[in-house]
Amino acid sequence: MSSAFVQAAVILLREGLEAMLVIAALAGYLTKAGAGHRIKALYGGALVAVGASFIAAWLFAVLNSGDHSDVLEGIIILLAAALMLYVSGWLMVKQDPRGWQDYLAHKADQALSQDTIWAVGALAFFAVFREGAETVLFINALAKTEGGWSAGLFAGLAAAAAALAVLFYFINLIARKLPLRPLFIVTSAFLFVMAVKFIGEAVQEFQEQAIITVTEVKGSAFLTAIGLNPTLEALSIQLLVILFALATYSVVRRNNRLMREDKAAMRAAE
C-alpha cells in the first residue's frame, strides 16, 4: 500500500466526515419532519459546494500561487457556524411536542419550508465548501510532493469516497428510524457542538494571522486531544456563545409557554 494511497484516503475521510455528518443529520430531520421533498435543496447545496470547492481551489492556485488563506477560511468557518447555530436553535425550540403541534397547525408545510429552506441549503453549501476547498488544496499539494497524480493517489481517494458513501447510508438509515423528538434533540445538539467547534477553528485561523492574540491555557493537552483550540481567546468566545444560546433558549421557551397559557385561557373564556 503506497504512501500516496494512505495519505489521500486519510485527507478525504478527515475532511469529508464532518460535512457528511451535518448533511446526514439534516436529511434525517427533514424526512422525519415531513419535509422530505426539501432534501433536494439540501443535496443541491452540497453539490454546488463541491463544484465551488474545485473553483475556489483553482482560484487559490492561480491568483494566490496555491497559498492557503487563513482569513478567508476563518470567515467561511464563521458563516458555517452561524448557520449551524440558527438551525440548532430552531430544532431545539420545535422539539417540544406541544410547540411542534401548534406550529404545524398554524403554519403547516409551507411555513416549515420558508423557515428552514434557505438555512438548510446554505448550511449544506458552507458545511461542504468549508471542507471541500481545503480537501482539493491538500490533495493537490500531496500530488506535488508525491511526484504527480499517481494510481495510488486516485485509489486512495476512491476508497475514502466509498467508505464515506457507506457511512452516509447507514447514518441515514439509523436517523430515519428514530422518533421525531429524539431526532430533533440529537440533531440540534450535534449542530450546536459542531458550531462551537467551528468557532474555535475560526479563531485559530485569525490567530495564525495575528488578528487575534494568543494566550495558551495551562494544561491544554486534553483540549488539544479532543480537537479544541486551547487558547483563552477561543474558549472565552465559545463560552459566551454557549451562555447566549442557553439564555435565548430559556427566553423562547418562556414566551412559548406564556402564549400557550394565554390561548388556553382564551378558549376557556369562550
Side-chain angles (χ1 to χ4, degrees), residues 19-183:
M20 184 200 71
L21 287 172
V22 172
I23 301 302
L26 287 172
Y29 146 68
L30 288 172
T31 299
K32 294 295 292 186
H37 56 290
R38 296 301 175 185
I39 292 179
K40 290 183 179 179
L42 180 73
Y43 292 157
L47 289 175
V48 170
V50 171
S53 298
F54 284 99
I55 294 173
W58 178 78
L59 289 174
F60 279 139
V62 173
L63 302 178
N64 202 36
S65 301
D67 294 334
H68 182 76
S69 175
D70 291 327
V71 174
L72 179 58
E73 183 172 357
I75 293 171
I76 292 172
I77 294 173
L78 285 178
L79 288 173
L83 287 164
M84 286 180 180
L85 289 172
Y86 171 82
V87 177
S88 173
W90 192 94
L91 287 170
M92 186 54 68
V93 170
K94 299 306 177 186
Q95 56 85 20
D96 178 66
R98 290 172 299 178
W100 180 244
Q101 291 170 3
D102 291 342
Y103 179 77
L104 290 181
H106 286 89
K107 297 187 177 181
D109 188 59
Q110 180 182 1
L112 175 65
S113 63
Q114 288 176 346
D115 280 352
T116 61
I117 186 61
W118 71 270
V120 167
L123 178 55
F125 176 85
F126 282 111
V128 175
F129 181 71
R130 179 240 183 260
E131 307 292 346
E134 194 171 67
T135 301
V136 174
L137 288 172
F138 284 159
I139 295 297
N140 185 58
L142 175 62
K144 290 181 180 179
T145 58
E146 292 292 325
W149 294 84
S150 64
L153 191 150
F154 281 114
L157 293 176
L164 287 174
V166 172
L167 286 172
F168 186 76
Y169 171 79
F170 282 108
I171 290 173
N172 269 321
L173 195 63
I174 294 171
R176 289 173 184 174
K177 292 183 178 181
L178 289 175
L180 185 60
R181 187 177 189 183
L183 181 62

Side-chain angles (χ1 to χ4, degrees), residues 192 236-250:
F192 186 80
S236 298
I237 295 172
Q238 289 171 320
L239 179 60
L240 287 174
V241 169
I242 292 172
L243 293 175
F244 178 78
L246 291 174
T248 303
Y249 176 67
S250 297

Side-chain angles (χ1 to χ4, degrees), residues 192-269:
F192 186 80
V193 170
M194 291 296 295
V196 172
K197 183 175 182 293
F198 273 24
I199 290 170
E201 293 177 2
V203 172
Q204 182 176 345
E205 299 291 345
F206 296 135
Q207 287 173 328
E208 291 174 357
Q209 294 299 309
I211 297 174
I212 298 178
T213 57
V214 178
T215 306
E216 292 286 343
V217 176
K218 293 182 179 180
S220 59
F222 172 74
L223 297 174
T224 304
I226 61 177
L228 294 179
N229 182 340
T231 65
L232 183 61
E233 292 79 6
L235 295 175
S236 298
I237 295 172
Q238 289 171 320
L239 179 60
L240 287 174
V241 169
I242 292 172
L243 293 175
F244 178 78
L246 291 174
T248 303
Y249 176 67
S250 297
V251 171
V252 171
R253 285 293 301 271
R254 176 179 176 276
N255 291 341
N256 288 343
R257 178 176 57 80
L258 292 175
M259 288 178 60
R260 286 196 296 267
E261 291 176 354
D262 290 342
K263 290 179 181 177
M266 291 175 62
R267 286 194 292 265

